[in-house]
Amino acid sequence: MSLRNILITFSLGLLFSGPLWAQNGGFLGVGDIVKITVYGQPDMTTVTRISERNSINFPLIGDVAIGGKSADEAETVIARELSRRGFVKNAQVNLFVEQSFQALNDTVTILGEVARPGNYPIQGSAVEGVQSVVDLVAAAGGTTENAGAVVSLVRGGTGGRTKLDIDLYEILTSGTTNPASYKLAGGDVIFVPEMDVFYIYGQVQRPGRYRLERGMRVMQALSVSGGISDRGSEKGVEIKRNVDGAIKDIDVDATDEVLKGDVIYVKERLF
């Protein structure tokens, strides 16, 4: 089974094992960016950040303390002040959190070859179950057909940023899905690279660019390309390989391993 099929199966299991997305019923806090509207009063529409004093500055009424309150409670406070001061009677106030400061510290980012790259809350905030690298890949819709098997986890810390390569194929096929080093923390970034490839041209049926499978041998690469053509030579197979920045021609036989970026060339037989 391919990496993509394994991840699709895992993703479906995660999605149907319970509610993946849940409404976050938290309280407003310092740094949150909120949008406030008053029905019938477009001039009062305000987008603002909650200050370190847990308050915002709202048209006509000035500072209003909303930090530590729910959105419903903040709406009631603003409506009451507008009415008490005689500006808008029976005001209908709506407050929407455009960006939660806390959520920024409770999210992880996934980029590259996944169906839905972007930011995702980790377990304990808006998304239940997203706590490991495998969970995150599944929540992002799984990998694309062009994805590689080894992903990178970039993590910040007091000692600077670190990078850890994680072999998804090995994790999923071995059943080791939740080692401590793969659990996510706020601010982590996962990058899913494009697959490793090789190239084959010359006297083969279907020359072109192909996915490099793990442990692939020359004979397997030839088979993927449809095999050697009638004009090709089985003894005339060579690989152009980047070795320390220089391209070298390497004579190979059918059991030699193909490496990332190799260009396989099948020569024409002499007679």
Side-chain angles (χ1 to χ4, degrees):
M1 181 180 290
S2 70
L3 173 64
R4 176 172 170 77
N5 289 337
I6 291 173
L7 283 168
I8 289 174
T9 302
F10 185 91
S11 178
L12 290 174
L14 179 63
L15 288 172
F16 290 103
S17 63
L20 180 63
W21 297 97
Q23 187 69 23
N24 184 6
F27 296 97
L28 302 172
V30 173
D32 289 352
I33 297 175
V34 297
K35 180 178 182 179
I36 304 167
T37 60
V38 180
Y39 180 75
Q41 305 292 331
D43 292 343
M44 288 188 177
T45 297
T46 301
V47 178
T48 187
R49 175 182 172 274
I50 300 176
S51 73
E52 287 72 15
R53 300 189 306 275
N54 276 319
S55 64
I56 61 167
N57 190 277
F58 195 75
L60 301 178
I61 60 178
D63 284 349
V64 184
I66 63 173
K69 302 181 185 299
S70 69
D72 288 345
E73 290 171 338
E75 291 169 353
T76 300
V77 168
I78 295 170
R80 185 175 61 237
E81 287 299 307
L82 287 172
S83 179
R84 185 178 70 82
R85 302 189 188 195
F87 296 119
V88 183
K89 292 183 178 180
N90 300 319
Q92 298 180 36
V93 178
N94 288 305
L95 184 148
F96 173 76
V97 180
E98 291 207 328
Q99 188 175 73
S100 170
F101 180 78
Q102 181 61 36
L104 294 176
N105 295 322
D106 289 340
T107 60
V108 288
T109 302
I110 186 165
L111 304 171
E113 297 295 330
V114 290
R116 295 187 297 273
N119 297 323
Y120 288 81
I122 58 177
Q123 187 181 38
S125 59
V127 174
E128 293 299 329
V130 177
Q131 56 181 323
S132 72
V133 172
V134 175
D135 290 337
L136 179 58
V137 173
T143 59
T144 69
E145 294 180 353
N146 293 323
V150 179
V151 306
S152 297
L153 167 60
V154 180
R155 172 171 292 167
T158 56
R161 298 188 73 81
T162 59
K163 177 175 174 288
L164 174 68
D165 289 332
I166 299 172
D167 192 328
L168 283 182
Y169 186 86
E170 181 179 350
I171 292 174
L172 293 168
T173 54
S174 67
T176 309
T177 59
N178 198 30
S181 60
Y182 301 156
K183 291 181 73 68
L184 296 171
D188 284 353
V189 178
I190 300 296
F191 178 71
V192 181
E194 191 175 9
M195 64 184 178
D196 291 340
V197 299
F198 71 94
Y199 305 84
I200 188 165
Y201 70 105
Q203 297 302 320
V204 292
Q205 300 293 342
R206 295 188 300 273
R209 173 179 180 267
Y210 292 92
R211 174 188 288 272
L212 178 63
E213 302 294 348
R214 190 162 308 191
M216 178 175 274
R217 305 294 170 174
V218 170
M219 59 183 175
Q220 294 170 311
L222 292 171
S223 176
V224 167
S225 67
I228 297 175
S229 70
D230 292 340
R231 299 175 60 183
S233 169
E234 293 184 3
K235 296 182 178 180
V237 179
E238 66 178 18
I239 286 180
K240 296 183 182 295
R241 178 174 294 165
N242 188 323
V243 180
D244 297 328
I247 303 299
K248 295 187 176 181
D249 293 335
I250 302 172
D251 291 327
V252 294
D253 60 37
T255 60
D256 286 341
E257 186 174 0
V258 182
L259 302 183
K260 175 184 176 181
D262 277 356
V263 179
I264 302 174
Y265 176 64
V266 180
K267 300 177 182 178
E268 186 174 358
R269 55 189 173 86
L270 298 178
F271 56 88

